[in-house]
Amino acid sequence: GDQAVQAAARYAAAFPDNRPALRLLAGSRAIAGQWPQARELLEHLNRRSGGRDVRLLADLSLAQLRTGDAQAA
């Protein structure tokens, strides 16, 4: 849990524009139960992708549900 989040955070910090790095960090945060942080990252990625990534939209919907925002999901 925590080690994966820390490793993903270091990688994303080293490569802040790297989409896979940010997806890895969002996934690590979700696995660790850090849904608000995961949601923030996924929303950022969704804005950058123009809402065309179906997998990202599915993960974002789950994060929205886990943060209590069923309407957004």
Side-chain angles (χ1 to χ4, degrees):
D2 287 339
Q3 287 181 331
V5 171
Q6 291 172 3
R10 284 192 302 273
Y11 190 78
F15 304 99
D17 292 327
N18 184 290
R19 183 177 167 83
L22 295 173
R23 289 286 282 148
L24 177 65
L25 181 56
S28 297
R29 296 240 189 249
I31 290 168
Q34 299 172 356
W35 290 104
Q37 296 89 344
R39 179 180 176 173
E40 184 178 321
L41 288 163
L42 293 167
E43 286 175 341
H44 169 73
L45 285 164
N46 189 48
R47 285 190 298 273
R48 289 182 57 198
S49 72
R52 295 181 304 262
D53 184 334
V54 176
R55 175 64 191 239
L56 174 62
L57 291 171
D59 291 344
L60 177 55
S61 290
L62 179 58
Q64 290 165 331
L65 285 172
R66 296 291 178 138
T67 56
D69 191 356
Q71 187 172 3

